Structure formats: structure tokens, C-alpha cells
Amino acid sequence: MRLACLATALMAIAATLAGAAHAFETEEERRFPAARPGSELRVISTADTAVFTPIILAFQAENPEVAVTYVTASSRELMKALYEEGAQFDLAISSAMDLQTKLANDGLVRNYSSEATARLPAWARWRNQVFAFTQEPAVLVLSKSAFADLPVPTTREELIRLLRDNPERFYGRIGTYDVRRSGLGYLFATQDSRNTESYWRLTEIMGRLGARLYCCSSDMISDVSSGRLALAYNVLGSYAEAQLHENENILIVEPGDYLNVMLRTALIPNTARNIEAAGKMIDFLLSLGTRPELTRKTGLPPVDPSVFDRNNAFRPIRLGPGLLVFLDRMRRETFLRSWVSSIEQ
Amino acid sequence: MSTVAASGSIRRRLTLQLAAIAVLLSVAFFLIVRGVAEQAAGQTQDQILAASATSIADALRSEKGQVQLELPYSALSMLGSVSEDRVFYRVAIAGRTLTGYDDLPLPALPEATGEPVFATFDYRGEPVRSVTLSRNVSIGERPVEAVISVAQTRLFLGAIRARTSTIAAAVGLAFFAVAVSLSLWAAHSALRPLERLALSVTRRGPKDLRPLRAETPAELVPLVAALNNFMERLRASLARSEDFIAEAAHRVRTPLATLRTQAEIAYRRVERPENRAALKEMILAIDESSRSAGQLLDHAMVTFRTDHLETEQLDLGELACDTRNRLEPTAELKDIGLELELPDAPALFEGDPILLENALRNIVDNAIKYSPPDSLVRIALHICGGDYVIGVCDEGRGFGTGDLRRMTRRFSRGTNVEDIVGSGLGLTIADEVARAHGGRLELARNKGGKGACVSLVLPRP
Ligand SMILES: Nc1ncnc2c1ncn2[C@@H]1O[C@H](COP(=O)(O)OP(=O)(O)OP(=O)(O)O)[C@@H](O)[C@H]1O
Ligand SMILES: [Mg+2]
């Protein structure tokens, strides 16, 4: 999910040198100075700086006295920073819903409520601590050229049948997350395993067909568009959507049986110092639905309950203690063991 | 009429007591509802915790000499379904944590019962409810005890408490409001028979001493019975005293009349001037006594009637005319002319004719009595502003010197009465009657020089 680090001339990169100061590893740190003297908002996030820059600039246009320091890290490093090291951040933004839930469950998160949080649907917040501001489905991305003479599968069962019937065509040309490395991949996979029995059969077939494992959605998408992959399973729809304009070759399929929808969430850690600005930023993120130009620039689809009414297959991943189950040490070990034995054949 | 000072009000006391009961019941209702709701919520939480722990216990299995656990998704997700409470769990094998939160306290379990044990304690800065149960898992041949504990914060209970408190408070308040208005109504309707009774007593005429016959609720029967009893006694005692006065007057007057006749016969018979003078004095004294007895009787009657004034429509002109006619023979004896002057229209007045006639008679009687023979007494009825004025003027000796107001006092007579018989009650009677009718008695010296003028002033309706 982390876009390749596209450092533009505008960006002043405080390099990963800063990482020497703390044990957790950051990827990039950038400071957005305030137009007027005021406070400092320290944000740790799993979303690339490039993706978030328009949001931060728009936020600063409304709050010119807030300087923003935006630090990016992987979801696991973010967890390490807050859970183990008590690093000081005012806001944590992550796509790892399970880890965000664990932070809140284990008492490392502050309560926050405002008019904006009260308007959120119940499934988009937890405990007045974790607030969802995007909804991003996991989709199937196909290469148009590879499927020129094949029917487009609309459900997982159809996909299984298609793979089984055309092994030679798909061998080595299937991509999916390496759930051992990617927190989001693990989240999608565990939710899949919960939702349908066919997940394990699908994984097995993908394994038999020599599936290639990826760390990030963006890499899968670019491999599909280049034709190296015929299909990629469990790709973040929002990223694929963003590539659609530049790439003629990709086809996005939203499986009709069900769609896992990841909610990108924000929370205020206990270590926060600038709570006021953090609250303002949460309110701003929750208002993304009313700012179509930001949605266009960032490709982050805002929380919109009407989408679920229109498409019954959309299933938001439930915030709450259920997410702690797959973080259980033993459960994770068992899951990964099964997954590895299915995918590596 | 005396006014009764009220000490407290039955209605207020009844309303307050009923309202106090309503408050008590409302508060009791509130506490009970909240208590029951809290208990139910607590039980629900315990049940879900127990179900969660049991499902974890069921997922325990041994594999290759080791205990394995595939934490069921539902074990934790079911805890999240009712509330947004934080959830903690720990699975320990022979005292060593297998998975979960290492520091979650495990309460001591009773030996081998398998029953879940519930506990409430503070964990990670918040009170939590925990359930702990044990399960034997066999590793190879050897069974080991697995202890499973699941804990959840109690935010949920607080939320339930807040919600049920609001609902219970609202219902309690509504109940209180209804109870208070009902108690107002109850107090009102309970007191209605009493009010009806009071009304039927006050509505009665002053002389109506008949027993009360209104329908009476059982509780008021003693009061009404006592009232009826009292009225009966009052009626009897009034009748007795009326009879007594009449009887007494009769008893005094009859022998006095006999005595006077005998004295007069004796007077005619005796020749010696000193004897005749003695008898003359005796006759005068008898006349005084007889007059006094008559006036006392009249005064008693007037006092009684003014206490219980019963009025009727009457014409004052007609009344004056009657009085004149009745006293004409007396006047003629002294060759005194009784002139009467009346307005054309009848002078209508609400009053007691017997009392008014008595008053006027006393005034005219005085005029005749204190006038020399062959003189004139004028009775005139005028309308003067808002009043009727019945003026009686004579050409007699007048009131003489001294305070005129003194004349209306009881037994008070003028200094110039000489041997004219009188008791000093006539003007008292006239004054009391005038007052009882809202009027007054005015005494004046005749403007022409000789004689007296006494006016009965009565307000026009
Ligand atoms: N018309 C009058 N002329 C002169 N004096 C009068 C006249 N009327 C009343 N008085 C005086 O006022 C006094 C009080 O009058 P009142 O009628 O009360 O008593 P009374 O005539 O003496 O006795 P009685 O009770 O028998 O009438 C009289 O004693 C008399 O002195
Ligand atoms: Mg007199």
C-alpha cells in the first residue's frame, strides 16, 4: 500500500536518519511548516507522504497555525512505536485495523468525540477512540490482455474453477499478498478465511499455480498492467482505481460473493501532546466526504454508508475485539502455518 | 357571627400525604427498576463471558505433546457485539501463559469443579469483570490443567445504568405527576360531602333548626348526628326561653293588673287625704312596674328578633299609618292631634315589620306622653338622599338640658320626666331596631323652640 517513495522537489525529506533516535523504523519524515506561529502536530501514518500531502495542505489552509510533522512507517513499526516504545505522536493513522483496535483495547488511546465523530455510522468507529475515514475494498485486478478470450470471474468459486480449468495459462502469473510480510494482506486473508470456506481452496490452487507473493498493492498493480501477472487477488481497490486512468490493460473486478472493505482509521495515542490539533485533524479527515477534490487527488474513498446499501457484497471489516483474535500469537502461528503450507507447494 | 380560625386544612394534609406516598413509591420504583436492569445487565455480561471462556476451552487440543489453541473468532467477537468494552484473555497451562495477556490475574479456582468463577477487579486502569474456568487437557498420557480467563471492562453496565436511569426517572416522574393529580382529585372528591354539608348548613335561614337530612357519608354521620342533636337542644332551649319570658311577663302583669284594680277601688273608698296620697303613689308604682315588665318583654323580643333578623318587603308609609291609628285613642285621651304626612309613592323597604312597628310605636308613644294636652304631634315620612326619614315632632317639654345621646341608653330617662310613667327602654328599643336595619336614630330639639324631634333613619334599598 505504500506507494514508491516519490520524493518531489517540494518535499523536504528529513531522511531516515531520524530513525537512529528510536528503535522503530520510520520510512520518511516530512515537516509542513505553519503559515503562522502556533502548535505542532506530530502524525505517524502508514499512508505515503505523497498520498497525504494534499490532505495536510488543505488542513493547514483551514488551520494555518498548525505545523504538521508527517512520519510514515509500516503498520508493524507504527505498532511498535506506540505499543512498545511509547513514542510521542499526536495522531496515528493506519490501515491495520487490527493493530489500531489492539492499541485502543489495551488502553493506549485517548477518547475523542465531536459532532463529526457522532455523525459516523456505528461500524466506522470504536469506543470513541478509533475513527474510520476511508473505506477501501479488496478487489481482483485482471490483465485485460490475459482475459481477452476468457470469461471474467465474478465470484471466488468462479475464479477457482477458472484457475483449475486453465492451469497452464495462469502458472506463475497470479499475484497476492505475502501475508507474512504485509499486515494488510494478513488482515484480508484472515477475514477471507472467516467469510468463506473457498478461501483455503483458492489459496491452495494459487499455491499450486506458483503464485507470486507481494508486499504491496502498488507492486501487484504495476505487474498486472505490465502483463507480468494475469490476475492479482486482494488488491486495494482504491490504488487500482487510481491506476485505471494511466493503464489501459487493467480490469478491476469486485467479487460478487463478498468484498472485504478495509477502513483506514485514525486515533489519538495517550502520548499525544497537541490533542486539540489532533482532534481538528480527525474532524477534517471525517469531512473528506464533502471534499471531492481531495478524494480525487488522494484516491482515498471517504466513508459513505450508501455504498453498502447499493452493493450487498460490500462488508466493512468489523472494528472491535473480533480483530484481536488473529493477533493472538498462537492463532497467528497456526494461520500462517496453514497459509504457508497451502501457498508453497 | 364569630369567625373560626382554621388550623390546617384537611385537603392540604391529604394532598401532601398522598404526594409524599407518591414520591416514596416513585423513588422505590426508580431504584427497583435500575437495580433489576443492572442485575440483568450484569448477568448478561457474565453469561457472555462464560460462553466466551467455554468456547476457548473447547478449542484447546493437544498436538505433538503440546497444547494448541486456535482462538475462535466468536470467542472475542461475541464480547464486542453488545458493547464497546475492552476485552482481555489469558490461557495458562500449569501456571505458564500459553497465550493472551500475561499479566491478567487468575483468581484461585476451587479444586476440580469446572464451574466458572467470576471476579471483579481493576486491570489496566479500569474495573473489569472476569470469568475463569479450568479444563483438563491430556498431553500424551498425562492430563494437565488449562486455566482460561476472559475479562471485559464494565462500560456497558454504566451505559445500561445511565439509560435505565433516564427511562426509570422519566417513568417515575410521570408516575409522580399522575399520582399527584390523582391525589388532588381524590382529596377534592373526598371532601365534597363535607363541603356539601357545610353549604347546606350555611344556606339555612336563621330560625331553621330542623335536623339535617342531606345524604351523609358514613364518616360524617357522627358529626351530623351531633349537629342535629345540638340543634334540637338549641331549638328546645330557645322555645323554653321564649315561653319563659312570655310566661314571666304574664305572671307579673296579671297580679299587677289585679293589684291596680284593688288599689283604685280602695282609692275611691278612702276619704283621708294622707291615705289617698299613699294609694295614689301606690298606683303610680304599680303602673311603673307594669310598664317596666311590658317594656322588658318587648326588649327581650326585640333583642331576639334582631339577632335573627328576618326581613320582608313592606311599605313604611303603611307602617306609619298603622302606628298612628293604633295610638290615636291614647292621643285622644289627652286631646292631642296626631298628624301624618306621607309621600305619594309607597316607601318600599326590606325589614322586619314587627320590629319597625315596635320602634315607631315607642317614638310616637314618647311624643304623646311628654306633650301637654291639646297639642300637636306630627309624624312625617320623607325621602332624604339615600335614606327614608320618619320624623316624629311634638310641642311638649323637650329633652331639657343634658346629653341627648344618653337617652338611648338602657333604663336612662330624662331629668324632666316628673311623674310620667316610664322605664327608660323605649328609645333603646327604637335605636336597636334602627341599627339592626342598617339605619340610626336621631334625636333633636324642635327647631321651633318647644318640643322634641325623634327621627328613625333607614337606608333606602
Ligand atoms: N318626645 C319627648 N319629649 C320629651 N322628652 C322625651 C321625649 N322622648 C323621650 N324623651 C326623654 O327621653 C327619655 C328616654 O325615653 P324612653 O322612651 O327611652 O324612656 P321613657 O319614655 O322614660 O320610658 P318607656 O320605656 O316607658 O318609654 C325619657 O325619659 C324622656 O326624658
Ligand atoms: Mg318612652
Side-chain angles (χ1 to χ4, degrees), chain B residues 67 91-98 106 135 139 142-147:
Chain B
V67 178
V91 180
I93 306 291
R96 206 177 46 80
T97 302
L98 182 70
L106 297 176
R135 187 62 73 84
I139 307 177
R142 178 169 61 87
V144 290
E145 189 193 39
V147 176

Side-chain angles (χ1 to χ4, degrees), chain B residues 291 295 366 369-370 394 398-399 413-414 417 422-427:
Chain B
R291 175 70 182 168
Q295 287 291 78
N366 278 352
K369 195 159 64 170
Y370 297 109
D394 60 54
F399 289 109
R413 306 199 66 204
V417 293
S423 65
L425 281 171
L427 288 185

